[in-house]
Amino acid sequence: MNLTIDITNQDRVTYVSLVGEVDAFTAPKLKGSLLPETEEEGQTVEVNLQDVNYMDSTGLGVFISALKSTKEHNSDLRLVQMQERVYRLFKITGLTEIMNIDNTVRGGM
């Protein structure tokens, strides 16, 4: 499956909407699109994961890299509308403790 990435900017917020799967095949594309958005000081990057139904460890790696980039560039990263199965991946790896994840999870959480 493919990954569609839609990026829009409004004021100091970048909205990133993802549709598809984040895996070893699509993660480089996501990293190439997401990381530059985190490199602007004071910028908030909000990633909507509503239409991501699968993510593997390479996808987690992209978000860890993005989090590191926000720390380096004094920006902010938010993950919103995550599906339950994707949220579980973040939960079992402990990333819910260090990442700003909207607690409104799709799928009954």
Side-chain angles (χ1 to χ4, degrees), residues 39-59:
E39 295 173 354
E40 185 176 337
E41 186 172 330
Q43 186 76 5
T44 295
V45 180
E46 183 177 294
V47 182
N48 187 323
L49 296 158
Q50 179 176 350
D51 295 316
V52 172
N53 53 23
Y54 175 80
M55 183 181 301
D56 67 9
S57 60
T58 55

